[in-house]
Amino acid sequence: MVTISRRQFNRAGAATLGAGVAASVAPTVLRAQNRTLKVGVLLPRSGTQAFIGQSCQMGADIAPALVKQMLGVDIELMNADTETNVDVARSRAEKLINDGAQVLVGPFDSGAAIAIAQVAEQRRIPFVVNIAAAPQITEQGFRYTFRNFPTSVDLVRNGLSLMRDLFLATGTAPRSAVFMHVNDTFGQANRRAVDAILPRLDFLPFKVVDTISYDPAARDLSVEVAKAKATNADFIMLVSRLNDAILLVRELVKQRWSPQGIVSPGSPGMYEAQFYRALGKYSEFCVSNVPWYDPNAALSKRVDAAFVKQFPKERLMFHALNVGFTFEAMLVAADAFKRAGSTDGAQLAEAIRKTDIAERMMIGGPIRFDAKGQNVQIASACVQNRNGAPAVVLPKSAAQMAPVFPMPDWRARG
Amino acid sequence: MPLETILNVVTGGLLTGLVYGLMALGLSVIYGVVRIVNFAHGEIMAVAMYAAVVGFAMGGVDPLWMIVPVAVVFFGLGYALQRGLINPFIHRPEHSQFMLLLAVALIMVNGLLVAFGPDARNVQVDYSLDSYEIGPLLVDKVRVICAAVALATCALLFAVFRYTAFGKAIRACADNLLGAQVVGLDVRHLYALTFGLGTACVGIAGCLLVLLADVTPSSGPAFTLLAFIIVIIGGLGSMPGALAGGVLIGVSESVAGLLITPSAKSMLSFALLIAVLAFRPQGLFGRAAR
């Protein structure tokens, strides 16, 4: 029989304890020394928002090489498709975190963003929203969610101000508008913002004569357009996605209704590459008052060079908003990672909270987040479709050409 | 609301409803004879829509010209599917048939996803944005053409069932299976032919619908659901019922969208479905179970 003395027992115990402590400390040390940030990118790459999701994905795809050049840190992308479905977005966020994602970026959809924000909060993983406007995303006290994109309220406020500028610049004063909006979280948030803000703006010459909401997955908008046409409004104020914006214009042409204009107070759809491809001459003169990129900014030029290199068949201007905000979200995450020197969720979130990035691609002040995790310094531009491409027409300081309003009749377009 | 707006919307709903009716007709014919509910119906139509998209993209072929080749190919596909896969399940419990056809549907959806990706596809022919002005009415040209082709196809199918020996044999199988077997009809062959006809119908409907709506791999289940609503309202197994159900759904969705709210379109379809199930379970044109 082997006997162990008290001294031998204590020595063995101390050795075991020491090994245990070393083992428990080791991962922390390793984590702190980790040179690569794993970024879970959640985007709607299929479903009704597929084109926009794939457009945003390009912004993520160019990020690793560009961020390495700019900040000297490595980021590894972990891509997930939300399938334009809130429930799928939630489960994909869970899976990405389980698979090792240390920060989440995405998801170009307000409903999906709210679902992902809840997961991020539970799992204590920072979530940087690229594009999503519903105010509640940053109004619910989430500590791990940050948004470098305006809320619907800011978006609509900026968009309506630009409408005034558009009418002043073109010497027009339309008296009535029909407000058409997609009936999802984003569309509802915009509707609430329009309902709250518009009645208080006495500088706008028009009244909204009817509000028409429609299904985001609608196969056909003939009834909606017939209803809008019956109002005989001067112009359409549109909050859309992409597919529905295309359906709507096609239906306007079929029903031979040429309103004075189609003006978005801040929504996607009409400046996307697919809009021009699908509609050709009928895509012309539509107006989107949206956050936009500054093509003359140094960062825009670097992004453009990287974009052309990686996607030689594409042009940045058709993806500017999607690529710009997605890239900036990646930049926010990488910058925080560099300053925190850690992939720990709490430390990364704290570093993101202290973000101060002056050199940026999108128009607006430096990227800084307020106590709610919201960047409040993002401006909009009035972007009109001209000669098959989006062109800034307002504000004058950034204008590439003068705005046209009213737009020419459909039948007068050759 | 101006009367001309209501008339325009009702006309649009009527024309779209005829195409929906043709789509549902295939489902109704198959059930009426073979007594199998084709749960892959909408997915088969999505495949036909993609066939039309490919024809247009590769050779610039108008989907209307694709109707004949698609109908022939889909007739063969339906025949083979019934003889090779579905026939062994004819006398099995309904849940087994359901699982089989659900599996076929899933394979089709995922096959389309692999082949074409998730993006929405459509066909833009020269006349896509044209419309006719008839008095106060402004009628979409594509809808008029699609509705006319759908009506012609239905008329042809009715004629086949009523006037040809082969059609009469199929009706005999549907009316009295034992009697048909006693007089020596090849029931298995006739079942497969019926399945082929139903599949050809849905193939033609796919070529028409691609002119009216975008298609994605996930469109199939929505079409299956729509076809079910139509045939249940019209009467499962009734050919005139399918057509009438399609028109009813097309018009009621349009009117609901106009007079209530566009978001109420689907709601009204389901409300009609519930009303029919509650007060006339056999459907508007169906025969009550004896």
Side-chain angles (χ1 to χ4, degrees), chain B residues 16 22 58 62 65 78 109 116 122 145 187 192 194 224 231 233 240 251 254 264 272:
Chain B
T16 309
L22 176 64
M58 305 276 282
D62 187 317
W65 290 111
V109 169
F116 298 100
N122 63 51
I145 293 171
V187 172
T194 308
T224 302
V231 295
I233 288 174
V251 172
S254 299
L272 274 172

Side-chain angles (χ1 to χ4, degrees), chain A residues 186-259:
Chain A
F186 169 70
Q188 288 285 355
N190 272 260
R191 179 184 180 158
R192 280 194 291 274
V194 167
D195 288 349
I197 297 170
L198 193 60
R200 288 190 272 127
L201 300 182
D202 55 2
F203 55 74
L204 286 172
F206 66 87
K207 293 267 180 284
V208 172
V209 289
D210 198 3
T211 298
I212 300 169
S213 65
Y214 56 84
D215 183 354
R219 285 191 294 266
D220 167 26
L221 291 178
S222 57
V223 176
E224 289 81 350
V225 169
K227 201 170 179 177
K229 185 183 176 184
T231 65
N232 205 23
D234 287 339
F235 78 102
I236 298 174
M237 188 160 67
L238 178 66
V239 171
S240 66
R241 299 297 193 175
L242 173 59
N243 290 355
D244 51 311
I246 294 170
L247 284 177
L248 183 117
V249 173
R250 278 187 191 146
E251 206 53 53
L252 286 171
V253 178
K254 281 184 188 179
Q255 297 195 19
R256 301 184 190 176
W257 181 36
S258 263

Side-chain angles (χ1 to χ4, degrees), chain A residues 46 54 183 220 224 254 256, chain B residues 118-119 128 131 133 140 143:
Chain A
S46 61
Q54 288 165 20
N183 197 8
D220 167 26
E224 289 81 350
K254 281 184 188 179
R256 301 184 190 176
Chain B
D119 304 344
S128 284
S131 45
E133 200 167 354
D140 179 1
R143 278 196 173 83

Side-chain angles (χ1 to χ4, degrees), chain A residues 277-300:
Chain A
R277 281 189 209 127
L279 294 170
K281 61 186 177 185
Y282 298 120
S283 65
E284 291 288 295
F285 304 106
C286 295
V287 173
S288 308
N289 293 340
V290 285
W292 201 245
Y293 82 127
D294 177 359
N296 297 319
L299 183 56
S300 296

